[in-house]
Amino acid sequence: MNPVTLPSPAGPGLELRNRAFIAPMCQYSVEAEDGVPTDWHLAHLGAFAAGGFSLVTAEATAVEARGRISARDLGLWDDSQVPAHRRITDFVHSQGAAAAVQLGHAGGKASTHPWLPGAAEGTVPASDGGWATVGATDAPVLPDLDAPHALSEEELGLLVQAWADAARRADTAGYDAIQIHAAHGYLLHQFLSPLNNTRTDGYGGDERGRTRLLREVVAAVRAAWPAHKALGIRFSGTDWVDGGWDVDATARMAGELVREHGVGWVDLSSGGLGGPAAIPVGPGYQVSLADHVRAELAGTDAVVSAVGLIHNAMQAETILATGQADAVSIGRAALRDPHWAAHAASDLRVSAADSPAADQYWRANW
Ligand code: FNR
């Protein structure tokens, strides 16, 4: 797990101590109000930094209030949210790790209740704290969700500005990298995929039209985000549905964003729009998507990360050593063991002196 650098248009880029990243994971933390991170988020994300990960990515963080997946999500739509994010980035930095934030908008998949075990599926009604959702079209994104309001071209202009404003706040909050959330059936993916985007205006139709909003968001974020800081994107590399968004379209889009729009990090997840998807869930089942996109990005210095059921150090090291990805993003394995990266270093025979484990824990090696 050697160091790796996320490139940026200016400066040396973001140097990371190893290739184990934390995947963004919403906490639906019951104390989170108005998008403001709590002590839980500090402890949760801080543990991964102390646990040896090189890049700690904060959960899907909404660029506007109605873009939250749930009322318990984090946000960067208001300046008042910045100081609590700053506490997290300061601690992550103190542990030798870098901090990223995933900026997102849930679109027609917003206003849900995922933090409540056994809660009803579907859109939360206004009477229960929910709100009206927006989307690429007025068709429900999934069968159990309410119909969103289809965003007009004028409204899309305001939304792009909201992404830029959130990027500016992410800078003030001390984040080193932004990951734009274009995956999992949320708003940007809703525009990318022909499964959901049946618009007939300039934001729909052919691939150029369906990718227009993403291109505009990336350009606006890049312009608001310092040139020396890294910008990344998470795609659903495929809908796993014939006629849906697929890995070839992902590779074309990733190539354009890296070569022309200053994106330096591409993370490959999949799915999220439902349909008759046949998803081959199993160890490393999304790695081939990273491999495919990495081949398209040959000759660039972009970093491609793989994610999804990557459990242990040997599996991760094999993905890296065989050149299928430049880095691994770890989710649930890190929830089980926040010190996964330090333990992986130990499994891979990294010397105690070079271990990314927290200095305070050096006695663990006695
Ligand atoms: C997630 N995932 C996720 N993905 C994302 O893009 N933004 C998010 O905020 C979240 N939130 C989230 C919460 C929780 C509790 C889990 C378990 C997952 C998906 C996550 O980033 C990752 O892609 C998957 O979990 C697959 O990786 P693992 O868990 O198999 O390593």
Side-chain angles (χ1 to χ4, degrees):
M1 288 219 175
N2 300 321
V4 65
T5 298
L6 300 188
S8 53
L14 181 61
E15 290 175 33
L16 301 171
R17 61 184 169 184
N18 60 46
R19 292 163 189 255
F21 302 169
I22 282 292
M25 285 182 281
C26 279
Q27 294 302 290
Y28 310 119
S29 186
V30 287
E31 302 87 10
E33 297 281 352
D34 301 322
V36 178
T38 67
D39 284 355
W40 171 256
H41 298 93
L42 174 64
H44 160 72
L45 295 168
F48 300 135
F53 287 91
S54 63
L55 183 63
V56 177
T57 307
E59 67 182 60
T61 297
V63 300
E64 58 173 14
R66 67 182 172 179
R68 289 170 295 170
I69 300 166
S70 83
R72 307 300 189 192
D73 292 5
L74 299 189
L76 274 171
W77 69 81
D78 193 274
D79 290 348
S80 64
Q81 294 156 340
V82 169
H85 283 274
R86 181 92 219 184
R87 242 166 38 110
I88 294 169
T89 62
D90 282 347
F91 182 79
V92 167
H93 291 152
S94 77
Q95 298 304 305
V101 60
Q102 184 188 52
L103 293 183
H105 192 301
K109 287 178 77 172
S111 185
T112 59
H113 255 343
W115 76 91
L116 289 178
E121 302 280 312
T123 309
V124 177
S127 57
D128 196 14
W131 57 89
T133 61
V134 298
T137 74
D138 59 9
V141 177
L142 296 173
D144 61 352
L145 297 176
D146 287 359
H149 159 70
L151 288 159
S152 67
E153 295 207 4
E154 190 186 347
E155 289 168 327
L156 287 173
L158 296 173
L159 190 66
V160 170
Q161 185 59 45
W163 282 84
D165 292 343
R168 180 179 49 72
R169 293 186 192 102
D171 178 39
T172 311
Y175 286 107
D176 307 292
I178 285 175
Q179 181 186 77
I180 291 175
H181 196 351
H184 300 170
Y186 297 118
L187 188 70
L188 293 175
H189 185 191
Q190 288 159 26
F191 273 81
L192 292 177
S193 176
L195 296 183
N196 186 257
N197 185 347
T198 53
R199 294 172 73 106
T200 52
D201 65 359
Y203 290 91
D206 61 9
E207 191 171 306
R208 187 92 194 141
R210 285 182 281 104
T211 54
R212 178 175 164 190
L213 179 63
L214 176 59
R215 234 181 281 112
E216 290 183 358
V217 164
V218 169
V221 168
R222 191 62 277 181
W225 183 237
H228 70 277
K229 290 194 172 184
L231 178 59
I233 184 157
R234 171 173 261 197
F235 283 109
S236 276
T238 176
D239 288 328
W240 304 108
V241 176
D242 283 344
W245 179 255
D246 63 18
V247 69
D248 291 321
T250 305
R252 280 191 291 276
M253 196 62 213
E256 184 182 331
L257 295 181
V258 165
R259 294 191 171 89
E260 299 172 30
H261 293 277
V263 168
W265 167 34
V266 183
D267 185 86
L268 273 303
S269 187
S270 73
L273 280 176
I279 305 181
V281 178
Y285 71 106
Q286 295 171 151
V287 174
S288 63
L289 303 170
D291 190 21
H292 189 102
V293 170
R294 192 167 185 264
E296 163 64 28
L297 296 178
T300 74
D301 53 4
V303 167
V304 175
S305 50
V307 68
L309 294 179
I310 300 171
H311 291 290
N312 60 52
M314 296 308 165
Q315 184 192 4
E317 188 66 8
T318 301
I319 291 165
L320 301 175
T322 54
Q324 297 177 86
D326 302 293
V328 289
S329 298
I330 305 296
R332 287 162 290 184
L335 296 184
R336 290 190 287 275
D337 173 13
H339 293 256
W340 185 97
H343 295 154
S346 168
D347 289 349
L348 295 168
R349 305 285 184 265
V350 171
S351 70
D354 291 331
S355 167
D359 291 343
Q360 288 89 336
Y361 288 171
W362 67 272
R363 287 180 184 81
N365 297 315
W366 270 7

